[in-house]
């Protein structure tokens, strides 16, 4: 089988071809075992062997920029500017389900497997739940097996930029350009609480030990109690927007 690599004249060294690379900028990457998954403005998702750098698979189907990907439970989930999210078979490289209903770009996503939904009715039958956030100001909860929208989470007055799930409590936390974080029951669709103290868009979120950490365009990171919405600490060291954060070994970076 052709490897997708050409040989440079006279030296026998493989030369990267267009088969082995994205044709536009990469928007996101996830490492999964010995593979890397990347998505791109070229409308594709690619799977790579991290040891050799070889492109193993190309996932085609989105019609605009692919924003985010998530690999879980032997499925690949993706979100796109084409207003859809999709579920793909990792093994076959084909679309298994398409989620349509957002009125604008789908930016962020999170997945809850059936076994992470204790007490949820028909958890096995729905194949888990996918939660998506969009520039249309809503988040949606989807049944993965059917592609049906289970709940639409309405309350934000700006684009939903980020989200995290607390699966044992069936709770989603969403961050928005409206400078708030909101907590939702993903089974009932009920808005549980609103976190208000940021002065700019909430760009990134992380949930650790029942604390929500948020990074914002107001140049701060805040730590909140997940069950009450109380802000317990503000980190104010940055000179520009906080676009990513990670909690590790008792420190937030």
């Amino acid at each position: 089988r052709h490897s997708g690599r050409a040989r440079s004249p006279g030296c026998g060294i493989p030369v990267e071809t267009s088969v082995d690379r994205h044709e536009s900028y990469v928007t996101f990457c996830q490492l999964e075992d010995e593979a890397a998954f990347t998505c791109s403005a070229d409308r594709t998702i690619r799977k790579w062997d991290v040891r050799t750098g070889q492109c193993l698979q190309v996932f085609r189907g989105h019609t605009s920029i692919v924003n985010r990907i998530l690999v879980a439970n032997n499925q690949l989930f993706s979100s796109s500017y084409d207003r859809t999210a999709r579920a793909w078979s990792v093994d076959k490289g084909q679309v298994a389900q398409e989620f349509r209903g957002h009125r604008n770009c789908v930016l962020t996503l999170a997945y809850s497997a059936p076994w992470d939904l204790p007490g949820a009715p028909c958890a096995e039958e729905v194949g888990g739940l996918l939660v998506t956030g969009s520039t249309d100001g809503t988040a949606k909860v989807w049944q993965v097996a059917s592609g049906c929208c289970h709940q639409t989470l309405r309350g934000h007055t700006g684009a939903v930029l980020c989200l995290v799930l607390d699966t044992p409590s069936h709770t989603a936390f969403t961050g928005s350009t409206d400078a708030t974080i909101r907590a939702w029951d993903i089974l009932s669709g009920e808005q549980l609480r609103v976190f208000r103290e940021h002065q700019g868009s909430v760009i990134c979120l992380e949930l650790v030990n029942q604390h929500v950490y948020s990074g914002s365009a107001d140049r701060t990171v805040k730590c909140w109690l997940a069950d009450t919405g109380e802000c317990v600490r503000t980190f104010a060291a940055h000179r520009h927007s906080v676009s990513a954060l990670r909690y590790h070994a008792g420190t937030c970076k």
Side-chain angles (χ1 to χ4, degrees):
R1 188 178 65 178
H2 190 265
S3 67
R5 290 178 180 268
R7 299 256 174 199
S8 58
C11 65
I13 300 173
V15 176
E16 188 180 66
T17 71
S18 61
V19 175
D20 281 334
R21 65 174 185 265
H22 283 294
E23 296 175 4
S24 187
Y25 59 87
V26 173
T27 55
F28 196 75
C29 175
Q30 180 177 338
L31 294 176
E32 188 72 13
D33 297 325
E34 295 181 344
F37 292 82
T38 57
C39 57
S40 168
D42 69 6
R43 303 172 295 184
T44 71
I45 303 157
R46 292 173 187 253
K47 178 182 178 181
W48 310 84
D49 186 318
V50 296
R51 297 167 302 177
T52 66
Q54 181 184 7
C55 180
L56 302 175
Q57 206 163 29
V58 182
F59 301 78
R60 303 182 189 276
H62 280 297
T63 58
S64 189
I65 297 169
V66 185
N67 292 309
R68 288 290 184 272
I69 49 175
L70 172 64
V71 180
N73 194 22
N74 201 37
Q75 296 178 95
L76 169 66
F77 299 97
S78 59
S79 63
S80 172
Y81 269 66
D82 66 12
R83 305 184 182 186
T84 73
R86 301 184 187 214
W88 311 72
S89 166
V90 171
D91 296 332
K92 297 179 181 179
Q94 298 175 343
V95 175
Q97 196 58 260
E98 189 173 291
F99 308 93
R100 288 187 176 271
H102 280 296
R103 292 180 288 105
N104 216 323
C105 311
V106 186
L107 297 179
T108 185
L109 40 74
Y111 171 72
S112 183
W115 51 85
D116 290 329
L117 295 165
C122 305
E124 291 293 335
E125 288 82 354
V126 302
L129 297 176
L130 180 70
V131 186
T132 57
S134 169
T135 55
D136 66 13
T138 71
K140 288 182 179 287
V141 184
W142 310 85
Q143 297 178 0
V144 171
S146 67
C148 294
C149 182
H150 176 70
Q151 297 288 351
T152 297
L153 311 179
R154 292 187 174 91
H156 282 296
T157 59
V160 178
L161 302 181
C162 51
L163 67 88
V164 290
L165 291 182
D166 180 18
T167 49
S169 67
H170 312 148
T171 304
F173 299 88
T174 54
S176 169
T177 57
D178 66 11
T180 70
I181 302 161
R182 295 172 191 249
W184 314 82
D185 185 313
I186 60 173
L187 299 183
S188 69
E190 177 188 2
Q191 181 175 285
L192 303 175
R193 64 195 69 92
V194 183
F195 303 61
R196 303 180 190 273
E197 279 200 28
H198 277 301
Q199 303 302 309
S201 298
V202 180
I203 300 171
C204 51
L205 291 172
E206 184 153 358
L207 176 66
V208 182
N209 299 328
Q210 292 304 302
H211 289 77
V212 176
Y213 293 86
S214 56
S216 171
D218 67 12
R219 302 177 293 177
T220 71
V221 171
K222 292 183 182 289
C223 175
W224 316 76
L225 297 180
D227 58 351
T228 67
E230 177 188 358
C231 182
V232 294
R233 187 168 181 185
T234 298
F235 304 83
H238 286 285
R239 297 181 180 180
H240 298 283
S241 298
V242 181
S243 57
L245 61 87
R246 181 68 64 192
Y247 180 96
H248 177 69
T251 60
C252 183
K253 298 184 178 181

